[in-house]
Amino acid sequence: MTTARDLAIIALDTADKPVEQGDLSLALAGAEVFDLLDARALVLDGDRILPSAPAPTGDRLLDEAAGTLVREEPYESVEDWLWRRGRGLSAAYVDDLERTGLTSRRRGRRIPLRTGRTELVDSAARRQAEERRAAGEPVLAALAAAAGIGEEPAGELAEEATAVLAAVGDAVMELEAVRQRKVIEDAAFDNVWRGY
């Protein structure tokens, strides 16, 4: 299993509060950076992602991510990668989990045609993700915290990990600022219309 897939499983398994899809998508894109580093499909040079020799990882979404790496100078920054790759990524992971049989859809009881919430099935992948979360693996915990699941882990991380996690944190904060600005603009628009 990959860090990105484990993060998606953890997000679906979180019952206490729903996770913002945009935040999760950015965190998943960050998780893919770590997975691609582990697979030696990329290296980091400061904040730039330099592609390495493409090697299949055995994971469909991760192989797709490796195939989308920018292969020309000045290469892509981690932040640019998060925004580009992260677009709709949480939905892609949910679909992939369903396609591989790791989730099922619950249907509403009163309205038979309405699809309900996606729920995880009991599986080895789910148990592995839960074990990694319970163990407090720092990178997974930090990515989960960026997505709004749990608290920031304490402790030191490698410089490379810190740079990627900082970019994820900055992107999530920027997305939240956009949400807040939209709420304010919508409220102002509503006030203008009430005046007429």
Side-chain angles (χ1 to χ4, degrees), residues 162-177:
T162 303
V164 174
L165 293 170
V168 171
D170 290 347
V172 168
M173 286 186 348
E174 187 177 333
L175 184 57
E176 181 57 29

Side-chain angles (χ1 to χ4, degrees), residues 8-189:
I9 289 170
I10 289 168
L12 281 175
D13 212 13
T14 303
D16 51 350
K17 71 174 190 169
V19 177
E20 288 283 345
Q21 290 207 6
D23 296 352
L24 179 59
S25 290
L26 291 167
L28 286 167
E32 286 183 341
V33 171
F34 288 110
D35 291 334
L36 292 171
L37 277 167
D38 287 344
R40 301 190 194 292
L42 65 83
V43 293
L44 290 178
D45 182 14
D47 74 334
R48 296 280 165 192
I49 296 174
L50 282 64
S52 201
T57 64
D59 182 279
R60 185 182 68 81
L61 287 173
L62 202 54
D63 288 341
E64 177 184 296
T68 66
L69 291 171
V70 173
R71 299 193 177 276
E72 297 174 8
E73 290 189 30
Y75 301 111
E76 190 170 36
S77 70
V78 172
E79 182 181 357
D80 289 344
W81 163 266
L82 296 175
W83 289 110
R84 181 176 61 82
R85 177 67 183 158
R87 186 168 287 120
L89 197 55
S90 63
Y93 271 90
V94 169
D95 290 346
D96 193 61
L97 291 174
E98 188 172 353
R99 184 185 62 77
T100 57
L102 296 175
T103 63
S104 66
R105 287 211 178 255
R106 295 281 172 139
R107 300 207 178 267
R109 292 182 183 188
R110 295 183 185 193
I111 306 171
L113 296 177
R114 175 187 272 170
T115 58
R117 183 172 124 81
T118 300
E119 294 188 7
L120 292 164
V121 298
D122 186 34
S123 65
R126 182 180 187 182
R127 287 187 293 279
Q128 177 187 338
E130 289 170 352
E131 287 170 9
R132 284 182 73 187
R133 183 177 186 196
E137 187 175 304
V139 169
L140 182 62
L143 289 165
I149 307 164
E151 301 296 320
E152 272 295 321
E156 292 291 316
L157 292 167
E159 186 177 332
E160 205 170 59
T162 303
V164 174
L165 293 170
V168 171
D170 290 347
V172 168
M173 286 186 348
E174 187 177 333
L175 184 57
E176 181 57 29
V178 169
R179 282 190 205 111
Q180 292 298 321
R181 191 168 43 249
K182 175 123 175 72
V183 167
I184 291 167
E185 289 170 356
D186 288 349
F189 184 75

